[in-house]
Amino acid sequence: MSDKVRWGILGSANIAKKNMVPAIQEAANAELAAVASESGKAEETAADWGAPLFYQSYSTLLKDPDIDAVYIPLPNALHQKWVIEAIKNGKHVLVEKPAATTADDVIAMGAAAKEYNVKWMEAFMYQFHPQHEYVKELIADGAIGEVKRFRSTFSFPLDLSSDNIRLNKELGGGSLFDVGCYCVHASRMILDSEPSKVFSNGRLLEEDGIDISSTAILTFEGVDAVIDCSFEEAKSNRYSVSGTKGHIEVPFAYRADTNPNGGVGEVILKDVNCEVLEHKTFAADPFLIQVEHFSDCVLNDKDPVYSAESTYNNMKVIEALYQSQK
């Protein structure tokens, strides 16, 4: 292998075009080698993205011996199939969140990765933004006293009459899968523990359809996490941590690039009376950091910081929340 990981991308998802392709192209240890699209626009997509090679099928790209790793931003219900196919072809895999739609699928991915000795990681890119590490430092330093509650919201308005894949149950649609998974992940990451019980209520698009909004309570030891997500509410992607002596607010937690104030992350520390003690900003591209981290793992045979076990645990929580809604 060269000093750069040669990446292939399965599909022409918007997140690949807007965020991952620029990150791969900017990364010091990665390069975009190929793109595969089964929509009949592979050549057009490759030209638009600056990929030197294109394939009309995912399988053909996976058989290319010059591709080291693949990024998979396909619909959620297709993740398990193509992650395992990629692994069987010896490719390292970065797969969009949620990695799968069931915890059993995550187990199957992990087993395949061990059998074929490749790296794989779920692409919760937001976790690589430095604002979250600072939040954890504040908590560890006792800045807000004893933590009592975590709150998180991730929502945006979606045309509910459209054919958007987020509204397709067979493709793994639903607000909890799409944006709520971030809130679940953040609660576990910031609190550095797993919930002992969960409860959720969802508003369905139609009877036996996907959830267009979900609200949930996750019970951790001594701390409750309240999370909500929606396809029918104004844009929001924030979390806050409340303690006995104050609050920490992160107003652009999951997509700091959407912050109209320069696309930066923000961490606001408030005292027990809600007076602002500190307001720090963090400029970073978590997509770039994620690509360079995973590429480094591939090049130097390291384990990704976000483990398969944590991916499994996150999916178990999401499964339990959906079960609670029935």
Side-chain angles (χ1 to χ4, degrees):
M1 189 181 296
S2 69
D3 59 351
K4 290 188 176 184
V5 172
R6 296 162 295 188
W7 284 84
I9 298 177
L10 302 192
S12 53
N14 202 41
I15 192 170
K17 176 180 179 179
K18 286 190 171 182
N19 301 106
M20 280 297 292
V21 168
I24 291 171
Q25 291 171 335
E26 187 178 346
N29 57 359
E31 61 183 350
L32 180 60
V35 61
S37 175
E38 298 186 343
S39 66
K41 297 182 179 180
E43 184 174 8
E44 178 183 330
T45 300
D48 184 33
W49 293 3
L53 297 174
F54 65 90
Y55 297 96
Q56 303 291 351
S57 75
Y58 306 146
S59 296
T60 309
L61 183 148
L62 295 178
K63 288 179 172 58
D64 184 339
D66 293 327
I67 302 297
D68 303 313
V70 292
Y71 169 61
I72 302 179
L74 299 172
N76 300 335
L78 302 181
H79 287 178
Q80 191 254 22
K81 173 184 177 180
W82 288 107
V83 166
I84 291 179
E85 282 297 311
I87 289 171
K88 287 181 176 179
N89 280 276
K91 309 305 181 193
H92 304 282
V93 179
L94 181 64
V95 58
E96 261 309 320
K97 38 53 57 187
T101 54
T102 72
D104 284 345
D105 284 351
V106 175
I107 291 175
M109 292 176 186
K114 285 185 178 180
E115 179 180 353
Y116 288 87
N117 193 31
V118 299
K119 312 292 182 186
W120 81 284
M121 187 176 79
E122 184 178 26
F124 270 114
M125 56 77 202
Y126 90 94
Q127 67 185 312
F128 291 93
H129 201 290
Q131 62 182 342
H132 309 296
E133 192 60 37
Y134 187 64
V135 169
K136 290 191 280 187
E137 289 175 10
L138 288 174
I139 292 172
D141 290 343
I144 60 170
E146 185 179 355
V147 173
K148 290 297 182 182
R149 194 174 303 276
F150 177 94
R151 298 177 177 88
S152 179
T153 297
F154 201 170
S155 62
F156 65 94
L158 183 65
D159 180 358
L160 300 182
S161 64
S162 71
D163 60 356
N164 193 294
I165 61 171
R166 294 177 176 87
L167 304 176
N168 188 317
K169 188 173 184 178
E170 284 67 40
L171 292 179
S175 66
L176 187 53
F177 272 143
D178 188 66
V179 283
C181 65
Y182 286 89
C183 303
V184 171
H185 183 276
S187 69
R188 298 174 47 254
M189 177 182 72
I190 296 300
L191 299 176
D192 194 25
S193 62
E194 303 295 339
S196 58
K197 62 181 180 179
V198 303
F199 169 80
S200 180
N201 184 59
R203 293 199 296 270
L204 303 184
L205 179 62
E206 56 193 22
E207 188 175 355
D208 197 34
I210 60 95
D211 61 305
I212 52 177
S213 293
S214 284
T215 302
I217 299 175
L218 284 60
T219 302
F220 296 81
E221 185 175 356
V223 184
D224 287 327
V226 181
I227 67 175
D228 59 84
C229 55
S230 180
F231 292 153
E232 56 178 354
E233 297 173 18
K235 286 185 178 181
S236 179
N237 74 106
R238 61 172 53 241
Y239 70 69
S240 64
V241 190
S242 298
T244 53
K245 296 181 180 179
H247 308 274
I248 301 169
E249 297 177 2
V250 186
F252 296 92
Y254 309 115
R255 290 301 301 265
D257 56 311
T258 65
N259 185 349
N261 184 27
V264 297
E266 299 182 36
V267 176
I268 304 166
L269 175 64
K270 296 182 177 181
D271 67 13
V272 71
N273 296 313
C274 282
E275 295 290 332
V276 176
L277 298 176
E278 182 180 81
H279 186 166
K280 294 192 69 169
T281 60
F282 300 81
D285 179 356
F287 289 95
L288 173 60
I289 299 171
Q290 175 181 250
V291 167
E292 291 192 331
H293 169 70
F294 192 77
S295 296
D296 180 56
C297 291
V298 170
L299 292 170
N300 296 296
D301 193 22
K302 298 178 181 178
D303 291 330
V305 292
Y306 185 51
S307 68
E309 179 183 5
S310 191
T311 295
Y312 171 79
N313 289 340
N314 210 64
M315 184 52 60
K316 284 292 289 184
V317 174
I318 294 170
E319 275 191 326
L321 290 173
Y322 272 128
Q323 185 63 36
S324 176
Q325 292 182 7
K326 294 181 179 180

